Amino acid sequence: MVSADDLPTGQVTGTAAEPAAGRPAAPAVAPRPRSAPDPAGDRAVLTGRPPRAEPPVGAEPAVEGPPDTGTPPDAETPVTETPVAEAEPGDRTGPAQRADAPARSEPARLIARFRQARDWTIAASYQFFLAGTVLAVAAGAVLRFATPSHLWLDESLTVGIASRPVPDLLQALRHDGSPPLYYLLLHVWITLFGDGDIAVRALSGVLSLATLPLAWLAGRYVGRAATALGNGGPSAERRVGLAALLLFACSPYAIRYGSETRMYSLVVLLVLVFGFAAVRALNRPDLPRLAALTLATAALVYTHYWTFLVVFTVAAFLLLQARRREHYRRPALRAFAAMAASAVLFAPWMPVFLFQMLHTGTPWAPRVQAQVLLDTVFDWAGPQSTGALLGIILLGGALIGLTARPLGGELHVKISGRAPGRYLAAIWLAPLVLAYFVNMFGGSAYAERYTGIALPACLLLASLGIAQLPVHRAFVAVVVIASISGLLGGYQLARTERTQASEIANRIADLARPGDVVAYCPDQLGPAVHRAIQRRGGIDVREIVYADEAGPALVDWVDYADRMKRANGAAFAVEVNDLAGPDHAVLLVRADGYRFLEGACAVLSDQLASLRDRALQVEKRDLYEGASLERFSTLR
């Protein structure tokens, strides 16, 4: 006799060879082959919840209520009586049980409806999550264009330089200390769309939005690489791509500088482009891919000089890999040569670059402590409690992405790190460590806005770690919390006023008479207030800047520290007083606490007060660029 266990899967046999005479054969029900798709299993992949288990053998099945046919309860409906066996004496389970059936069907109907609602919720959870993702990305996109703040110093300087003819633009950059690519792009943008606050900021918003599809693709590549190396689960590619998209879209740093007329959004975009170009060149080092890597490297260093730190980190990695891995030597050396070839493209700018390195720098920046490397992550995460929460998520995700891989329902940790997390951690941390040492020994600034060179690697590493969470609910919860906290922090940054320039310009318009003098101390207050005065129009005043002959529209950073140390507040007060003469008032835009000026602006104010009546018109507020306005009347 053949046992049922010996039959192929799906073949069913009865206990007798033939059906009993006079009885119809029971229809054979073949179970679904194991390779067939399981709708409940498919839903579990999307929702992260296992399918509902079948009741165990022998368990009492739930009693379903009769179907609702739409017939009124009191309508006469033919009923087929089911024969009921006579109850034995003392047995009360016969007619009594049938009388209880209607009472028991109502709870069963409620249970069935509850299960149906639960199954629908599970099936629709993926759609809910997808809709939430779209809303989060849309909210992040809107915030990049929704800032009400007026342009502050750096933005006003950028627009003032980019608005000039190209030869004058390049000459102004010689005294500013920046490379030209973003300024040339903004020059074309202003030609097309004008130089209004919204118009000039829109370029950064567009560049920031362009990073989102690249971030999604980069996340998918990282997830695919982790899976190929045995350090990622089967859904790592999809998960890491989704987490990366949300972290970039909701990043307070990306929102903040996506709404500012500076080059930092372009830096983040080009770092991603550079990463793709480097990986493609390593995978197949043919001429088109190597040329793309050369162009991407040149675009980086033409945008911001801190990007040299990223280029040096990747170049050192390529040389190290070429030495350690024989089979990797040829593509690594070719990629290194392609990056080095960008020096040919940078050569025309080299004389200006050398002059800037010798004479401009960042004299306004103090030295920082080593903890700034940790503070940078929380700076990226935004202000207050939301920033602290997102910072913890980023650091925790980065640690998991560096050391762990999913193993069943747990994480298997390797202290020495795993690929590709090790590479992302190196590209994140090595440039910042180099920047710290340059600040300590080279005198260059370590500023939060410059650190966008390392942001993509950090967010991709954090995305990898979040995607490694073995429990799907935990993955969804962390992504949702990170997105909400990022949007809240980005909202605060985007909606905060950054300067008092417009308030001061409006007050000057109310007070000034034709020929009055507006003086700026320090000179760094000049560009924003001057732009606000010019855009308001109808204000006929003469403007003069402390220790700076370039005028109020620009700041001359050439030998700035030495020039400020040689200047004298009392001497400048005499110059301002003589310029105004006896018939015109002096309006002083002032802020104390700037490096190398010591108390020069306070001395200037006191000297003018000894010659004229002083009245405070605008009080300095606690803003990123706060300033006060004092009016000194005509001579006594």
Side-chain angles (χ1 to χ4, degrees):
M1 177 181 290
V2 179
S3 170
D5 295 336
D6 297 329
L7 295 177
T9 302
Q11 184 173 342
V12 180
T13 181
T15 57
E18 298 292 339
R23 295 182 184 177
V29 180
R32 180 176 50 82
R34 296 182 181 180
S35 60
D38 182 2
D42 294 341
R43 183 169 65 249
V45 172
L46 297 178
T47 62
R49 297 188 58 178
R52 183 168 50 130
E54 296 295 332
V57 177
E60 181 180 352
V63 180
E64 302 290 343
D68 187 3
T69 60
T71 306
D74 54 352
E76 293 187 4
T77 306
V79 179
T80 303
E81 292 282 338
T82 303
V84 180
E86 291 185 7
E88 295 292 335
D91 184 1
R92 302 181 180 180
T93 60
Q97 186 180 37
R98 209 175 59 189
D100 292 343
R104 290 173 48 184
S105 64
E106 186 65 26
R109 186 182 298 110
L110 294 176
I111 293 173
R113 289 178 179 175
F114 170 77
R115 288 177 175 173
Q116 184 180 14
R118 184 191 63 183
D119 292 344
W120 180 87
T121 303
I122 294 173
S125 60
Y126 178 74
Q127 284 75 16
F128 289 153
F129 187 67
L130 181 61
T133 299
V134 173
L135 289 176
V137 173
V142 169
L143 288 177
R144 285 161 166 83
F145 298 91
T147 179
S149 173
H150 297 81
L151 270 61
W152 68 288
L153 165 64
D154 282 8
E155 294 180 282
S156 301
L157 272 175
T158 302
V159 175
I161 293 173
S163 300
R164 298 176 173 229
V166 172
D168 293 344
L169 181 156
L170 299 177
Q171 181 61 30
L173 286 177
R174 180 182 177 90
H175 291 257
D176 179 75
S178 299
L181 180 58
Y182 178 78
Y183 293 85
L184 293 172
L185 289 177
L186 184 59
H187 176 83
V188 176
W189 186 270
I190 289 174
T191 302
L192 296 175
F193 302 106
D195 63 349
D197 288 4
I198 296 176
V200 296
R201 281 178 169 154
L203 173 60
S204 294
V206 170
L207 293 172
S208 185
L209 290 183
T211 65
L212 300 185
L214 290 182
W216 177 71
L217 291 173
R220 291 183 65 88
Y221 181 87
V222 169
R224 187 162 60 250
T227 302
L229 294 169
N231 296 324
S235 60
E237 179 179 350
R238 176 177 57 84
R239 279 187 171 192
V240 181
L242 180 61
L245 173 63
L246 286 171
L247 288 184
F248 274 84
C250 304
S251 165
Y253 178 96
I255 293 172
R256 165 74 167 82
Y257 293 106
S259 63
E260 182 169 297
T261 312
R262 293 291 284 167
M263 70 287 293
Y264 308 116
S265 292
L266 180 59
V267 167
V268 174
L269 174 63
L270 290 178
V271 167
L272 286 172
V273 172
F274 171 75
F276 274 110
V279 169
R280 287 170 57 82
L282 288 171
N283 288 338
R284 192 172 75 235
D286 54 21
L287 186 59
R289 296 190 176 194
L290 293 174
L293 179 56
T294 300
L295 292 175
T297 307
L300 267 182
V301 296
Y302 264 117
T303 301
H304 198 280
Y305 293 138
W306 263 44
T307 58
F308 276 112
L309 304 177
V310 176
V311 173
F312 291 158
T313 299
V314 174
F317 168 78
L318 292 176
L319 292 178
L320 181 63
Q321 293 299 312
R323 182 176 180 180
R324 291 177 56 188
R325 301 183 181 182
E326 182 69 27
H327 67 282
Y328 206 64
R329 178 173 300 173
R330 183 183 181 89
L333 291 179
R334 285 193 171 187
F336 176 83
M339 292 171 56
S342 65
V344 177
L345 300 178
F346 192 72
W349 188 252
M350 185 62 70
V352 177
F353 171 70
L354 294 177
F355 177 85
Q356 292 171 334
M357 293 300 101
L358 293 174
H359 296 283
T360 56
T362 53
W364 43 266
R367 290 190 176 183
V368 296
Q369 303 300 319
Q371 70 181 28
V372 75
L373 300 176
L374 180 62
D375 293 341
T376 296
V377 177
F378 290 94
D379 289 337
W380 289 339
Q384 300 176 1
S385 58
T386 58
L389 177 60
L390 180 57
I392 292 172
I393 291 175
L394 293 180
L395 289 174
L399 181 61
I400 295 174
L402 173 63
T403 62
R405 67 179 175 88
L407 186 64
E410 300 177 349
L411 288 174
H412 186 267
V413 175
K414 182 179 179 183
I415 300 299
S416 60
R418 302 178 182 275
R422 288 199 304 261
Y423 307 139
L424 291 172
I427 299 173
W428 161 30
L429 295 174
L432 298 184
V433 172
L434 291 174
Y436 167 73
F437 283 111
V438 170
N439 173 265
M440 292 298 296
F441 303 108
S444 179
Y446 187 106
E448 174 260 347
R449 55 186 179 273
Y450 296 172
T451 59
I453 59 169
L455 178 72
C458 177
L459 294 186
L460 288 173
L461 181 59
S463 300
L464 174 61
I466 294 171
Q468 301 286 47
L469 295 174
V471 180
H472 184 77
R473 291 180 181 176
F475 165 75
V476 173
V478 171
V479 168
V480 169
I481 293 172
S483 300
I484 293 175
S485 59
L487 289 175
L488 291 175
Y491 176 83
Q492 295 180 57
L493 292 175
R495 302 296 295 177
T496 299
E497 180 63 67
R498 301 163 194 173
T499 179
Q500 284 184 258
S502 180
E503 178 185 1
I504 291 173
N506 290 336
R507 189 58 180 158
I508 290 174
D510 295 336
L511 296 172
R513 298 176 300 171
D516 283 353
V517 174
V518 177
Y520 301 95
C521 186
D523 56 343
Q524 297 177 45
L525 298 175
V529 177
H530 172 74
R531 172 181 165 82
I533 290 175
Q534 294 297 312
R535 293 195 62 80
R536 182 181 175 91
I539 306 176
D540 183 13
V541 293
R542 294 172 290 173
E543 297 173 89
I544 185 171
V545 181
Y546 179 77
D548 194 336
E549 297 179 357
L554 301 178
V555 174
D556 187 359
W557 296 107
V558 173
D559 301 326
Y560 186 86
D562 293 338
R563 183 156 36 87
M564 292 299 134
K565 291 177 181 178
R566 291 195 304 266
N568 182 279
F572 186 64
V574 173
E575 183 180 357
V576 171
N577 186 66
D578 291 344
L579 179 63
D583 300 325
H584 298 285
V586 175
L587 296 161
L588 175 62
V589 183
R590 168 192 166 190
D592 299 324
Y594 283 70
R595 290 192 75 199
F596 303 114
L597 273 78
E598 304 299 336
C601 297
V603 170
L604 167 62
S605 178
D606 292 340
Q607 287 293 111
L608 289 173
S610 67
L611 302 172
R612 301 164 179 261
D613 292 330
R614 176 170 56 187
L616 179 63
Q617 299 296 326
V618 174
E619 187 173 354
K620 180 181 177 181
R621 292 191 286 143
D622 186 19
L623 299 181
Y624 190 80
E625 187 181 65
S628 63
L629 176 65
E630 299 173 341
R631 182 180 185 274
F632 299 87
S633 62
T634 55
L635 288 174
R636 295 177 182 145

